[in-house]
């Protein structure tokens, strides 16, 4: 499917969802529209709320706080995961020793950690960064670890036969081999970084999209809750698109799936 057709199909899906939502909340097609509007609001009210936030300018401060928390969690978690993932993959003994501890840490429920981080770091941005870090780190770590371990042994043997040292192997063999795994994990982890920031704000904060959604929910402002979720989704899509642009630039050498253009 070419890009214009794909974009048209994606827009058609969005219009179908919004159209169905509008019909359900304004007509008797699926029952009492007032009850449906009470629980799900209406597309018009949600749109009006979003327009009001951006017109007044109040949304920018919340967006900036959430963006800062998510980016810090994403950057710190990704860097730590890249370093440890490469190290563990290149040192099997170290990986074997720490394997049960990494798995045990990954099994900890993050929602339980959120109050602990709030206690340790306060209600500022760092408790949200810590929560986002725990979500980002393990996704990237396991992908980097697997990506480095699955380097083609023939390519590796040929590189060693040509006299490459460890630094050259890292630059010309291991990093290119793991990049596809890394970017695959980054697309997932960027969403989790935002989720960590928003969940932390939802549990205790004075600003951010999570705080905005929490405030609207406390006042039974369903339009505000849905507007917050729509802005949050658009926010994540925008960041994910930026990651895609970086991926295309760094993986320009790699053929696109199906033989198409990247």
């Amino acid at each position: 499917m070419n890009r214009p057709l794909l974009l048209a199909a994606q827009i058609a899906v969005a219009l179908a969802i919004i159209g169905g939502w509008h019909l359900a909340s304004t007509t008797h097609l699926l029952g009492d529209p007032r009850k449906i509007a009470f629980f799900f609001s209406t597309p018009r009210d949600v749109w009006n709320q979003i327009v009001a936030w951006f017109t007044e300018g109040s949304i920018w401060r919340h967006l900036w706080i959430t963006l800062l928390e998510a980016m810090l969690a994403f950057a710190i978690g990704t860097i730590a995961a890249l370093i440890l993932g490469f190290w563990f993959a290149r040192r099997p003994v170290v990986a074997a020793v720490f394997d049960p501890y990494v798995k045990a840490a990954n099994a900890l429920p993050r929602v339980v950690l959120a109050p602990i981080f709030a206690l340790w770091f306060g209600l500022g941005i760092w408790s949200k960064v810590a929560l986002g870090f725990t979500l980002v780190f393990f996704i990237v770590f396991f992908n980097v670890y697997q990506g480095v371990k699955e380097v083609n042994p023939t390519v590796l043997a040929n590189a060693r036969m040509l006299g490459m040292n460890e630094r050259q192997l890292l630059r010309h063999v291991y990093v290119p081999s793991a990049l596809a795994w890394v970017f695959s994990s980054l697309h997932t982890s960027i969403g989790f970084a935002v989720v960590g920031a928003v969940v932390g704000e939802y549990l205790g904060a004075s600003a951010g999209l999570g705080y905005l959604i929490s405030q609207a929910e406390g006042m039974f402002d369903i339009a505000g809750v849905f507007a917050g979720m729509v802005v949050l989704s658009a926010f994540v899509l925008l960041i994910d698109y930026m990651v895609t642009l970086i991926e295309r630039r760094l993986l320009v050498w790699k053929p696109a799936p199906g033989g198409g253009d990247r």
Side-chain angles (χ1 to χ4, degrees):
M1 183 181 290
N2 58 43
R3 288 189 180 182
L5 191 58
L6 175 63
L7 181 61
Q10 291 171 337
I11 293 173
V13 171
L15 291 176
I17 293 172
I18 295 171
W21 183 10
H22 176 73
L23 288 175
S25 58
T26 57
T27 70
H28 288 81
L29 188 65
L30 296 178
D32 188 349
R34 288 178 300 179
K35 286 185 179 178
I36 295 174
F38 178 78
F39 289 108
F40 298 96
S41 189
T42 66
R44 176 179 295 179
D45 289 342
V46 171
W47 173 252
N48 289 339
Q49 180 63 73
I50 294 172
V51 170
W53 280 342
F54 280 95
T55 304
E56 296 166 0
S58 59
I59 191 72
W60 296 113
R61 175 170 170 264
H62 298 289
L63 275 173
W64 165 245
I65 294 292
T66 301
L67 176 65
L68 180 63
E69 293 164 352
M71 287 298 98
L72 284 171
F74 182 68
I76 297 172
T78 299
I79 292 170
L82 286 172
I83 294 171
L84 290 179
F86 269 100
W87 186 41
F88 277 37
R90 299 287 295 123
R91 298 288 183 271
V93 175
V94 175
V97 170
F98 285 95
D99 180 68
Y101 300 103
V102 172
K103 290 177 179 174
N106 185 40
L108 291 174
R110 310 304 193 271
V111 176
V112 174
L113 293 175
I116 297 175
F117 288 144
L119 187 66
W120 288 351
F121 302 109
L123 295 178
I125 66 169
W126 290 108
S127 57
K128 287 76 177 175
V129 172
L131 183 59
F133 173 88
T134 63
L135 293 168
V136 170
F137 175 80
F138 291 103
I139 297 171
V140 181
F141 171 81
F142 286 118
N143 277 275
V144 171
Y145 180 74
Q146 197 64 32
V148 175
K149 282 181 69 71
E150 292 200 0
V151 169
N152 189 314
T154 305
V155 173
L156 191 59
N158 287 337
R160 282 179 171 149
M161 191 169 64
L162 291 171
M164 284 190 181
N165 56 34
E166 281 298 311
R167 180 176 295 181
Q168 290 169 327
L169 284 174
L170 181 68
R171 180 179 177 185
H172 297 292
V173 179
Y174 288 115
V175 170
S177 173
L179 269 182
W181 290 78
V182 170
F183 276 104
S184 173
S185 65
L186 292 185
H187 284 290
T188 307
S189 61
I190 188 64
F192 277 99
V194 177
V195 167
V198 171
V199 170
E201 292 165 356
Y202 190 84
L203 294 176
S206 59
L209 287 178
Y211 167 79
L212 204 60
I213 294 171
S214 173
Q215 289 292 102
E217 190 178 79
M219 294 185 291
F220 295 98
D221 178 10
I222 304 302
V225 174
F226 276 83
M229 290 192 291
V230 170
V231 172
L232 180 62
S233 301
F235 183 59
V236 172
L237 287 176
L238 179 63
I239 297 175
D240 184 72
Y241 179 68
M242 293 167 66
V243 173
T244 301
L245 292 180
I246 297 172
E247 178 184 10
R248 285 176 184 167
R249 187 170 183 82
L250 290 181
L251 296 183
V252 67
W253 51 270
K254 187 179 179 184
D261 296 332
R262 293 188 68 81

